[in-house]
Amino acid sequence: MKCFSRYLPYIFRPPTTILSSTCHTEADIISTVEFNPSGELLATGDKGGRVVVFQREQEPQRRGEYNVYSTFQSHDPEFDYLKSLEIEEKINKIRWLPQQNAAYFLLSTNDKTVKLWKISERDRRPEGYNLKDEDGRIRDPSTITSLRVPVLQNTDLMVEATARRVFSNAHTYHINSISVNSDLQTYISTDDLRVNLWNLEITDQSFNIVDIKPCNMEDLTEVITAAEFHPQQCNTLAYSSSRGSVRLCDMRKQALCDTHCKFFEEPEDPSTRSFFSEIISSISDIKFSHSGRFLMTRDYLTVKVWDLNMETRPVQTYQVHDYLRGKLCSLYENDCIFDKFECVWNGSDSVIMTGSYNNFFRMFDRNTKKDVTLEASRENSKPRAILKPRKVCVGGKRRKDEVTVDSLDFSKKILHSAWHPQENIIAVAASNNLYIFQDKVT
């Protein structure tokens, strides 16, 4: 298992200031984290509708550090007057598009609206207009006695974020995921009951490709929790449900993908059936491996890895925090049982990572079968300090440096994380703090 040392902790409100973890509002809590395809940029979204983009340092001795590159307000609170509902500004997901030119593009979404943002640099500005003065005010044409050629003047580098497309009015329910297709022309947006297919150039039309809404809502037995395109096959997508199943769909088969081509679900053991079984089996996140061969799912207690060629059972199952199985009743009472944890692959698909409580996050090596528990906290936030593995004591005598199950802080949780696409650099969000770790530097 890799040994991670830490670089600077990035405190999120606002990015140019450092505040203590106790001095933040609900709007400052990070709600999504995502590296761009090259790993040079890292974007975070928060509950206040803001997107902060970090850029990796170019100096060789500081290559593990990321500094603020751009900050912009992606979404604002809105009100649906027809339904008398407030639409939160919270950023649910961010997805980068592969870079095609000097500019960067990303998709961000709240509960109802997806936006395509262009992030570009500008170090020159035009001067010498004929029809307006230096302040931008329109000049009286009768006062113009000569014409001049506008010129470009060098200025300080500016990073601009511009909304290029706004995709709205297509979802009745809250959007929970977006995914960019490998054809680089389309993407999907998913809510509780539907999956819509969009063209990146067309904002006023989308195609409904999955619709599980029954004629009578009383017959509703499950909802869609996440959806993602296959990384290489532009015709293939997968979506998960609250009943612990994953459906693989092929858009070549038919326009409406209500009927799946593959169905992944692990049979439930009747001997372990309980009141909480259906809740903890709900899948909160799915991720295709970079190779496209495997599919990873995260439910409340486990991470499962599925081979796309075998639907009967997962090829690997990892227990994230099985010691919580005896505390499901109290977790239900404080609503923690409904927390939605994400999961990520490393660049080579050999290690997977997911979050837990007490600001712990777990890593599982698929080759060596080893696992480790690490902690993201300000107490061990000295730059380049090596993270020490943490252990949770289930029963019996507690050893030094172990944490008992009863002492876990369930208000501290790692729900969102990201892994650099090529290197062992990870980003984990803990409330309003963003921590970036990298493989040990020798």
Side-chain angles (χ1 to χ4, degrees), residues 75-176:
H75 289 72
D76 294 302
E78 300 177 37
F79 190 80
D80 188 334
Y81 294 97
L82 294 177
K83 298 181 179 179
S84 297
L85 292 174
E86 289 189 18
I87 302 174
E88 292 183 346
E89 64 272 35
K90 172 192 170 187
I91 306 299
N92 293 337
K93 292 291 180 182
I94 290 175
R95 289 293 181 264
W96 289 92
L97 276 65
Q99 189 175 5
Q100 304 291 324
N101 49 42
Y104 301 95
F105 290 86
L106 63 81
L107 290 168
S108 63
T109 183
N110 66 350
D111 286 341
K112 298 292 183 181
T113 304
V114 183
K115 294 184 180 182
L116 174 65
W117 290 90
K118 176 184 178 181
I119 303 172
S120 57
E121 297 180 354
R122 182 161 64 90
D123 58 1
R124 293 185 179 185
R125 67 177 182 180
E127 292 184 356
Y129 288 106
N130 290 290
L131 296 180
K132 59 183 180 181
D133 55 26
E134 300 302 329
D135 297 330
R137 292 174 294 185
I138 302 299
R139 298 174 60 186
D140 184 356
S142 62
T143 62
I144 301 175
T145 58
S146 62
L147 296 178
R148 52 184 176 174
V149 178
V151 295
L152 292 174
Q153 296 287 351
N154 293 330
T155 62
D156 294 335
L157 180 65
M158 296 178 59
V159 180
E160 298 178 324
T162 309
R164 300 301 301 271
R165 305 276 191 278
V166 178
F167 307 88
S168 58
N169 303 322
H171 286 277
T172 304
Y173 306 97
H174 291 175
I175 298 173
N176 54 48

Side-chain angles (χ1 to χ4, degrees), residues 383-399:
R384 300 183 186 276
I386 296 177
L387 289 180
K388 296 180 179 179
R390 304 301 303 271
K391 290 186 178 181
V392 178
C393 176
V394 179
K397 187 176 181 180
R398 184 175 70 91
R399 297 180 181 178

Side-chain angles (χ1 to χ4, degrees), residues 220-438:
L220 183 67
T221 58
E222 62 182 343
V223 296
I224 301 173
T225 56
E228 188 173 69
F229 267 120
H230 190 280
Q232 284 99 34
Q233 301 171 10
C234 62
N235 55 281
T236 304
L237 64 98
Y239 68 92
S240 59
S241 82
S242 57
R243 297 190 68 176
S245 61
V246 177
R247 292 169 173 85
L248 194 70
C249 301
D250 189 340
M251 293 190 295
R252 296 173 301 181
K253 187 176 180 181
Q254 58 188 32
L256 191 62
C257 299
D258 287 346
T259 57
H260 50 270
C261 61
K262 289 190 176 183
F263 183 77
F264 303 90
E265 184 178 38
E266 187 174 26
E268 184 182 9
D269 185 357
S271 64
T272 61
R273 175 88 182 160
S274 70
F275 171 79
F276 306 105
S277 295
E278 190 169 326
I279 301 175
I280 64 176
S281 66
S282 175
I283 296 175
S284 57
D285 193 22
I286 61 172
K287 292 282 173 44
F288 280 102
S289 63
H290 295 86
S291 66
R293 173 67 184 272
F294 300 99
L295 181 68
M296 174 169 56
T297 63
R298 170 70 205 262
D299 57 40
Y300 189 68
L301 295 178
T302 66
V303 173
K304 297 182 176 70
V305 177
W306 299 81
D307 189 326
L308 295 186
N309 297 326
M310 187 173 71
E311 304 172 54
T312 54
R313 64 180 184 276
V315 293
Q316 293 161 334
T317 300
Y318 301 98
Q319 301 294 333
V320 179
H321 38 217
D322 197 54
Y323 46 78
L324 297 181
R325 195 174 292 274
K327 298 181 70 66
L328 293 179
C329 186
S330 59
L331 291 168
Y332 178 79
E333 292 175 352
N334 61 18
D335 286 341
C336 285
I337 200 171
F338 301 105
D339 286 335
K340 300 182 182 301
F341 294 93
E342 297 177 2
C343 54
V344 292
W345 300 87
N346 73 334
S348 62
D349 300 332
S350 60
V351 182
I352 58 181
M353 177 177 67
T354 190
S356 182
Y357 293 104
N358 209 63
N359 280 357
F360 289 167
F361 58 97
R362 304 267 283 141
M363 289 184 176
F364 303 93
D365 192 312
R366 299 178 59 215
N367 297 327
T368 64
K369 310 301 181 185
K370 295 181 180 179
D371 63 88
V372 67
T373 301
L374 301 172
E375 181 183 6
S377 68
R378 296 182 61 122
E379 286 70 26
N380 57 6
S381 61
K382 293 182 179 179
R384 300 183 186 276
I386 296 177
L387 289 180
K388 296 180 179 179
R390 304 301 303 271
K391 290 186 178 181
V392 178
C393 176
V394 179
K397 187 176 181 180
R398 184 175 70 91
R399 297 180 181 178
K400 186 180 180 181
D401 296 332
E402 285 188 341
V403 180
T404 62
V405 177
D406 293 331
S407 65
L408 293 175
D409 189 344
F410 293 103
S411 65
K412 297 180 179 179
K413 59 193 79 171
I414 304 292
L415 300 178
H416 313 287
S417 56
W419 200 309
H420 191 286
Q422 286 95 33
E423 302 179 33
N424 282 326
I425 298 176
I426 60 175
V428 295
S431 185
N432 66 319
N433 298 338
L434 176 66
Y435 297 91
I436 298 178
F437 305 90
Q438 77 160 16

Side-chain angles (χ1 to χ4, degrees), residues 57-76:
E57 278 289 344
Q58 300 303 312
E59 299 179 15
Q61 63 271 25
R62 301 178 62 192
R63 284 290 286 164
E65 296 183 24
Y66 284 76
N67 294 312
V68 175
Y69 180 64
S70 176
T71 306
F72 57 93
Q73 187 73 29
S74 174
H75 289 72
D76 294 302

